[in-house]
Amino acid sequence: MKFSITSKGDHKSESIKALIYQYLTDFDLEYNETEPDLAISVGGDGTFLKSFHHYSHRLNQTAFIGVHTGHLGFYADWVPEEIEKLVIDIAKNPFQVVEYPLLAMTIHTKDKKSKRYLALNESSIKKVEGSVVLDVDIKGEHFERFRGDGLCISTPSGSTAYNKALGGAIIHPSLATLQITEMSSINNRVYRTIGSPLILPKHHICEFKPVEENQSFLLTIDHITKSVVDIKSIEYQVAEEKIRFARFRSFPFWKRVRDSFISDER
Ligand code: NAP
Ligand code: MN
């Protein structure tokens, strides 16, 4: 089996990376950064997101696992103290796989080009200056005209991140859905949006179309931000692709939610 390690780059993460590297190569596993079967990230959820985007072109071949060197993460859910047990498991046992849904975004620009991206947490549509004004279509039908700071479209596993800060619901990742949340929508007698987060099932495409001409938008995809002009529309749906996590022990989603947000005491 081939493995790679992405580190956050700080002293602690680097030394854990070196330790894992040493153990796994001692077990005769091959270090391969371009074509790993298992991509290990050491740092936080942010480091895991980077690792995901690095290998998002080969999700069928690469499974992921995260070790955290700071606070407990949703993706980085192994602690450094568990490394020896983890390494032995990786070396000795074929791993089980758990799949989580992803978000697919396609940006169509006025020059008739389109670009597709995958997000593990979410994508958001914002602007540096002025309000975001968008026509929102769901399944090809006009739904509303949004005016406000922006919109966030999140995956189930991303529902505990930006989405949660925007008042969205926490969604169990066994549900193949996407969730749309608003950022400070303008609501008065002239402008009206739904106001509540929306949860869409698989195959329901939502589309956002800029209303005003010559606008530049800030589009985020997880930790990445892009400035895009001349947008015709932005389309989102639950992706066909899924992320595969290497599973060596049970750590139920609701327990991660409790440990992260409520308390890790029993
Ligand atoms: P960051 O500023 O370090 O991330 C913000 C926080 O979100 C960090 O504590 C990060 O954990 C945590 N996080 C990442 N994914 C999560 C998940 N699925 N569930 C719960 N918490 C999660 O930037 P970053 O590390 O590059 O992460 C990018 C993410 O930040 C974006 O995808 C977005 O979800 C989130 N974000 C949140 C807000 C907000 O809450 N107001 C605003 C902008 C962006 P680590 O410390 O372990 O990295
Ligand atoms: Mn971070």
Side-chain angles (χ1 to χ4, degrees):
M1 192 183 59
K2 294 173 286 206
F3 70 99
S4 72
I5 311 173
T6 308
S7 148
K8 187 179 177 186
D10 60 302
H11 183 73
K12 187 171 180 191
S13 304
E14 283 296 307
S15 64
I16 303 271
K17 173 180 171 169
L19 193 66
I20 298 174
Y21 178 90
Q22 188 62 50
Y23 279 141
L24 288 180
T25 48
D26 283 351
F27 276 119
D28 283 336
L29 270 65
E30 182 194 332
Y31 189 78
N32 186 320
E33 272 190 6
T34 45
E35 293 182 330
D37 303 307
L38 181 64
I40 304 166
S41 78
V42 182
D45 283 335
T47 322
F48 190 100
L49 290 173
K50 286 189 185 131
S51 167
F52 167 75
H53 282 271
H54 193 78
Y55 297 112
S56 62
H57 60 288
R58 57 188 323 279
L59 295 176
N60 285 330
Q61 288 93 38
T62 299
F64 297 84
I65 191 156
V67 176
H68 67 85
T69 49
H71 59 92
L72 169 70
F74 273 83
Y75 305 115
D77 60 1
W78 283 81
V79 293
E81 291 70 36
E82 298 173 295
I83 292 294
E84 283 179 32
K85 184 191 170 304
L86 176 63
V87 166
I88 294 168
D89 271 356
I90 293 173
K92 301 263 150 121
N93 305 316
F95 54 78
Q96 288 181 6
V97 161
V98 180
E99 295 184 330
Y100 277 7
L102 298 168
L103 175 73
M105 156 166 101
T106 310
I107 306 170
H108 302 281
T109 41
K110 287 186 179 150
D111 55 10
K112 297 202 163 62
K113 290 198 179 122
S114 50
K115 252 188 116 125
R116 184 175 183 270
Y117 302 89
L118 288 177
L120 174 56
N121 269 349
E122 78 286 292
S123 168
S124 70
I125 310 173
K126 301 191 262 199
K127 276 187 81 191
V128 177
E129 242 174 46
S131 294
V132 168
V133 187
L134 296 166
D135 275 329
V136 180
D137 288 9
I138 299 177
K139 280 188 89 187
E141 303 256 9
H142 178 72
F143 183 75
E144 66 180 14
R145 178 164 287 186
F146 176 89
R147 205 176 281 261
D149 283 358
L151 287 162
C152 170
I153 302 89
S154 102
T155 65
S157 61
S159 67
T160 49
Y162 204 174
N163 169 79
K164 184 174 186 295
L166 295 169
I170 298 181
I171 307 276
H172 194 279
S174 59
L175 302 169
T177 61
L178 65 78
Q179 179 167 195
I180 309 171
T181 46
E182 300 181 348
M183 296 172 199
S184 306
S185 55
I186 302 173
N187 270 286
N188 52 39
R189 285 197 300 199
V190 183
Y191 306 126
R192 178 101 353 238
T193 64
I194 189 71
S196 313
L198 301 179
I199 297 168
L200 270 53
K202 217 176 168 186
H203 307 304
H204 284 205
I205 299 174
C206 59
E207 204 178 356
F208 303 91
K209 295 183 240 169
V211 174
E212 292 154 1
E213 291 289 315
N214 303 318
Q215 301 287 304
S216 163
F217 289 89
L218 289 181
L219 303 181
T220 72
I221 304 145
D222 297 335
H223 57 292
I224 304 156
T225 305
K226 293 178 187 299
S227 174
V228 188
V229 290
D230 290 332
I231 295 176
K232 194 167 142 264
S233 70
I234 312 164
E235 227 174 73
Y236 293 96
Q237 66 185 109
V238 176
E240 282 306 321
E241 300 93 326
K242 292 190 153 200
I243 181 174
R244 298 182 307 124
F245 296 92
R247 181 182 185 273
F248 296 99
R249 58 138 151 74
S250 127
F251 193 173
F253 179 73
W254 295 119
K255 178 154 172 56
R256 282 206 302 274
V257 171
R258 180 179 186 272
D259 287 359
S260 296
F261 296 118
I262 311 287
S263 156
D264 59 7
E265 285 158 30
R266 284 200 303 134

